[in-house]
Amino acid sequence: MPKPSQPNGSPTRLVRPLVRRLHAYVPGEQPKVKGLVKLNTNENPYPPSPKVLSAVAAAVDGRLRLYPDPTAHPLREQLARLHGCSPDHLIIGNGSDELLALGVRAFVEPQPSGGNLPKAPSRHRVQYFSPSYSLYPVLAETHGAIIHPVPLMEDFSLPPVSDLRSGRRWDFKAALTFITTPNAPSGRGFPTRDLDSLCAAMKGVVVLDEAYVDFAEENALELCLRHPHVIVSRTFSKAYSLCFQRVGYWVGHPELIAALHRIRDSYNVNGLGQLAAQATLGDLPYYRRNFRKVIATRTRLARELTGLGWQVLPSQTNFLLARPPGPPARQWLEALRDRKILVRWFSTPGLEAFLRITIGTDQEMDTLLTTVRSLFRPTPDR
Ligand SMILES: *Cc1c(COP(=O)(O)O)cnc(C)c1O
């Protein structure tokens, strides 16, 4: 083999300085170990509806040579009927993650230097709660935007409205604000009433990321139909058991949605994903039964862990954030991992004492509880 020529040193120098400095998003691990109880990435424990599986199987033929519908029009029509809006209010993404990235690119002006100037104007800013979805800062920094995290209260609830009025923590003019609701990784839901006042105070675009909303008591869809600067983000991944297919969507004012269509890839959503999402909407009662099952299991797990001395936060999602008793959470993570149970631990300040546990099947929760009991016994006087 010829020796590669390297006249000017390492090729790393060919990468943009901003990209060289970036920290990539760290997803939960996906090991292929037999008998693993996987409670680390908030996947749904129940399979997609049989109708979805047969729709996908039936489409796997010579048609794979064709490009899919470029705007996912049939799926957008179905979603428009479901949400009482028009297809112009909708864009489908390769997972909602793609749309989050498109939103940053469409609404936030990157800094000319790509650096992080402390006094930079709001048009360069991406605002979000801390802690919330850890992808937001990655997307902002990739774009050369400025991150503006707004700390939640210690119990992960919203800062008081007085704070909001004074603007002590908020940048009302931030180009883009991401609000995860219900929030991750806390699991807490935010009342639509409070979100409404928050949205009303913001001058830039507000994205309500409702990835977990089907497990919650309320949703804020009405806000994106009422406020022209508010967008609601949904996904088929979590509640609709379709992570593998990568389909998410945004609902918002047609002019904002048109801006996103302008910058997306021509065929951003794969054909099988579109079909699977369409078949999903054709069998919603199946999924609603699963939501009820997940919620019932969540209630039981919260009760049982509380009985074992864990501090469990109230959850409106398909996971629990819980603080184990005794040894540090990180040690629990490893002890559970040794026993083939995967949960998630975050090194983020304020979260180190907690584990995030995805709600699995009742059987998986029994395995978890049996293991937890065997690992640590609270002392009798606790
Ligand atoms: C999982 C998740 C998403 C992304 O889901 P996709 O699979 O990309 O649709 C977005 N936001 C939050 C808060 C999530 O937890």
Side-chain angles (χ1 to χ4, degrees):
M1 242 199 5
K3 218 170 143 238
S5 70
Q6 255 201 13
N8 297 310
S10 156
T12 302
R13 83 201 142 74
L14 304 174
V15 178
R16 291 172 58 206
L18 178 140
V19 178
R20 265 183 258 158
R21 285 195 306 268
L22 284 178
H23 299 284
Y25 175 71
V26 184
E29 52 183 331
Q30 300 282 3
K32 297 285 169 274
V33 176
K34 252 181 82 187
L36 195 69
V37 178
K38 201 172 165 301
L39 309 173
N40 67 331
T41 50
N42 299 341
E43 287 145 326
N44 199 303
Y46 302 110
S49 148
K51 291 181 185 164
V52 171
L53 299 181
S54 54
V56 172
V60 178
D61 58 24
R63 278 173 290 172
L64 292 188
R65 77 190 171 80
L66 299 172
Y67 280 110
D69 189 301
T71 69
H73 194 75
L75 175 57
R76 280 162 55 236
E77 293 228 292
Q78 270 176 287
L79 286 167
R81 275 197 297 280
L82 179 69
H83 294 315
C85 59
S86 86
D88 293 346
H89 284 87
L90 286 153
I91 180 168
I92 316 295
N94 180 30
S96 53
D97 282 352
E98 183 199 17
L99 298 170
L100 298 170
L102 286 178
V104 173
R105 281 166 49 203
F107 306 130
V108 188
E109 200 60 62
Q111 295 178 94
S113 63
N116 225 344
L117 309 171
K119 284 262 176 208
S122 300
R123 67 173 185 277
H124 300 304
R125 286 205 186 170
V126 176
Q127 177 169 242
Y128 52 88
F129 284 132
S130 161
S132 70
Y133 191 28
S134 51
L135 181 66
Y136 306 142
V138 174
L139 297 176
E141 286 177 337
T142 302
H143 185 60
I146 298 183
I147 55 170
H148 188 82
V150 176
L152 287 167
M153 307 305 283
E154 210 176 322
D155 66 352
F156 308 110
S157 60
L158 287 179
V161 183
S162 54
D163 253 27
L164 181 58
R165 293 224 177 87
S166 71
R168 194 148 58 88
R169 303 162 198 249
W170 294 95
D171 177 357
F172 296 119
K173 293 185 183 154
L176 181 59
T177 300
F178 286 123
I179 298 177
T180 320
T181 176
N183 201 5
S186 72
R188 253 188 204 283
F190 301 128
T192 304
R193 197 171 3 95
D194 296 351
L195 295 175
D196 195 5
S197 5
L198 205 58
C199 290
M202 296 298 162
K203 305 285 174 243
V205 174
V206 182
V207 172
L208 302 173
D209 183 346
E210 292 196 328
Y212 299 101
V213 82
D214 296 285
F215 306 106
E217 280 159 12
E218 51 181 326
N219 70 71
L221 194 87
E222 53 164 305
L223 298 184
C224 75
L225 301 175
R226 209 143 42 70
H227 298 286
H229 66 303
V230 175
I231 292 172
V232 163
S233 177
R234 297 272 179 98
T235 174
F236 284 89
S237 293
K238 313 286 171 44
Y240 299 93
S241 307
L242 218 54
C243 291
F244 197 77
Q245 294 276 21
R246 313 299 306 122
V247 188
Y249 63 95
W250 278 15
V251 193
H253 192 283
E255 286 174 31
L256 296 187
I257 297 298
L260 299 164
H261 276 294
R262 216 170 288 142
I263 61 169
R264 70 173 168 78
D265 289 344
S266 331
Y267 302 101
N268 63 325
V269 188
N270 79 87
L272 294 178
Q274 293 185 32
L275 287 178
Q278 286 179 251
T280 298
L281 297 176
D283 198 7
L284 290 180
Y286 167 87
Y287 293 94
R288 293 191 181 121
R289 280 194 295 279
N290 288 347
F291 305 157
R292 284 195 292 273
K293 279 201 270 187
V294 167
I295 292 168
T297 307
R298 179 181 81 197
T299 307
R300 177 172 79 93
L301 182 67
R303 190 180 57 235
E304 304 225 16
L305 286 177
T306 305
L308 292 169
W310 292 52
Q311 181 206 337
V312 181
L313 269 98
S315 169
Q316 295 272 302
T317 59
N318 68 337
F319 56 84
L320 292 178
L321 190 70
R323 181 186 195 130
R330 179 148 200 198
Q331 220 166 301
W332 277 95
L333 170 87
E334 276 149 23
L336 289 169
R337 197 171 198 287
D338 290 343
R339 287 157 186 84
K340 289 204 195 179
I341 300 177
L342 277 194
V343 297
R344 194 90 193 257
W345 175 78
F346 298 93
S347 58
T348 320
L351 286 175
E352 312 100 312
F354 295 88
L355 293 177
R356 192 195 69 188
I357 306 170
T358 303
I359 304 301
T361 60
D362 278 306
Q363 202 189 346
E364 287 172 323
M365 298 297 96
D366 287 338
T367 307
L368 171 71
L369 286 164
T370 308
T371 309
V372 163
R373 284 190 199 97
S374 74
L375 279 173
F376 180 74
R377 285 167 204 288
T379 47
D381 61 324
R382 277 166 56 98

